[in-house]
Amino acid sequence: MFEVKTEIKIIPDGFESTNAYFHNHVLNNYLELGVKLIGRWVNEDYTVITEIWGYIDEQHYRDFFEMRKKTVHYKNSLPEKLANDKWIISKKEMVIQPTGDYKQDLHLVSTNVYVKNNHGEVLLVRSLHRSDTLELPGGRLDKDEDVVSGAIREVKEETGLDVEITGLLYSSHNITSGVINFTFCGNVIGGMLQNAPGETVDAGFYPVTKANVDKFVTLSFQKQRLLKAMEETPQKFDLYENRPFKLVHSYE
């Protein structure tokens, strides 16, 4: 991992505003483009914010800021960014290196849902953070959330549709980012199809096939998930509790 420390000196009265902008726009934009937040701190008098970010490698770091400028999310956040810039006195970046190997096991869990309509078209969304591609609706789990509930919530948030999960189609582990993904199959049971302000655009059903998938999906890992889901080969998946053991749901 290529780590960079960012030190931002601010006017104290602007901390609340800059902090809100960070959580509403910056953080998700960075995460969606493959950058990890190692940590973020502010000093006692709220004049210096320190961030440490982890990039895949040096080239990822060099390319990142141009990549970010091309996302719809970044473009939409520019008015708020300009308003917050008045609180920033200076910003300095420094490449840092670890003095030893202190890595601890840490994995993130994400979900996607494969949904078709009566015409065989597939539900896809365009994320504001990855505006150059369509993808299956989904995202990371919230704290204390099981994967099925998380999958249902993400579809609702990104498309406005209510779905029921009918099975598991594909699972994967990105050993670069630590993300473990479960791609489920689902059916629409309610809701109204719509974009999610501040999160997705172009939510809709698309006539995607194995032959034309490149027309819709440009990211390799998203394409892999979709192609595997399109095989519609169910996997055994159990959702259970322990102490005492209780089988909550079993998908065949």
Side-chain angles (χ1 to χ4, degrees):
M1 183 177 294
F2 188 82
E3 295 178 341
V4 177
K5 174 184 175 182
T6 303
E7 188 176 272
I8 307 166
K9 294 184 179 180
I10 63 171
I11 299 171
D13 289 346
F15 173 74
E16 294 296 334
S17 177
T18 55
N19 197 46
Y21 176 77
F22 174 85
H23 287 97
N24 291 336
H25 300 290
V26 177
L27 180 59
N28 283 336
N29 207 189
Y30 273 57
L31 294 177
E32 294 288 355
L33 291 173
V35 186
K36 286 186 176 181
L37 178 62
I38 308 302
R40 188 171 188 263
W41 307 264
V42 66
N43 64 346
E44 291 183 355
D45 58 2
Y46 294 90
T47 58
V48 180
I49 296 174
T50 302
E51 302 167 355
I52 297 181
W53 297 94
Y55 298 82
I56 296 173
D57 52 30
E58 184 175 359
Q59 191 60 51
H60 184 212
Y61 169 65
R62 303 301 176 195
D63 294 341
F64 169 77
F65 297 98
E66 288 303 318
M67 292 166 52
R68 185 186 176 208
K69 289 178 182 177
K70 294 178 182 178
T71 65
V72 174
H73 188 104
Y74 176 81
K75 295 174 182 177
N76 289 346
S77 70
L78 280 177
E80 192 171 340
K81 178 182 182 301
L82 293 173
N84 274 279
D85 282 348
K86 67 182 181 182
W87 302 112
I88 297 176
I89 299 171
S90 66
K91 185 175 182 180
K92 180 174 66 175
E93 290 190 339
M94 176 191 305
V95 175
I96 57 176
Q97 297 180 1
T99 58
D101 185 4
Y102 313 111
K103 183 179 180 181
Q104 298 180 3
D105 291 336
L106 178 63
H107 296 92
L108 301 174
V109 178
S110 71
T111 63
N112 292 98
V113 184
Y114 176 73
V115 180
K116 294 194 300 183
N117 62 13
N118 293 333
H119 303 291
E121 298 169 322
V122 179
L123 180 63
L124 299 174
V125 299
R126 190 183 306 278
S127 168
L128 293 179
H129 312 295
R130 292 190 290 267
S131 54
D132 59 341
T133 185
L134 288 164
E135 58 193 76
L136 292 170
R140 296 186 302 276
L141 295 188
D142 286 344
K143 185 178 180 180
D144 299 327
E145 185 176 46
D146 68 75
V147 291
V148 173
S149 298
I152 292 171
R153 173 186 56 77
E154 283 287 348
V155 174
K156 180 66 173 180
E157 289 179 356
E158 294 188 351
T159 72
L161 296 176
D162 299 306
V163 298
E164 62 175 352
I165 300 301
T166 58
L168 176 67
L169 297 177
Y170 176 63
S171 56
S172 64
H173 181 193
N174 183 338
I175 59 177
T176 300
S177 65
V179 175
I180 298 172
N181 175 264
F182 295 93
T183 300
F184 292 99
C185 181
N187 294 323
V188 176
I189 57 174
M192 180 178 296
L193 184 62
Q194 59 189 5
N195 297 332
E199 189 168 355
T200 61
V201 294
D202 301 337
F205 287 92
Y206 292 84
V208 59
T209 65
K210 292 182 179 180
N212 69 8
V213 65
D214 289 335
K215 175 182 175 183
F216 299 95
V217 184
T218 61
L219 292 179
S220 297
F221 73 96
Q222 293 288 354
K223 190 184 306 180
Q224 173 77 353
R225 289 176 188 172
L226 177 55
L227 288 173
K228 287 294 183 180
M230 291 172 69
E231 294 176 4
E232 299 188 32
T233 304
Q235 300 181 23
K236 175 71 174 178
F237 181 77
D238 289 336
L239 193 67
Y240 67 88
E241 298 174 354
N242 206 10
R243 300 190 182 96
F245 177 82
K246 176 185 177 182
L247 184 63
V248 177
H249 199 99
S250 183
Y251 298 90
E252 301 290 341

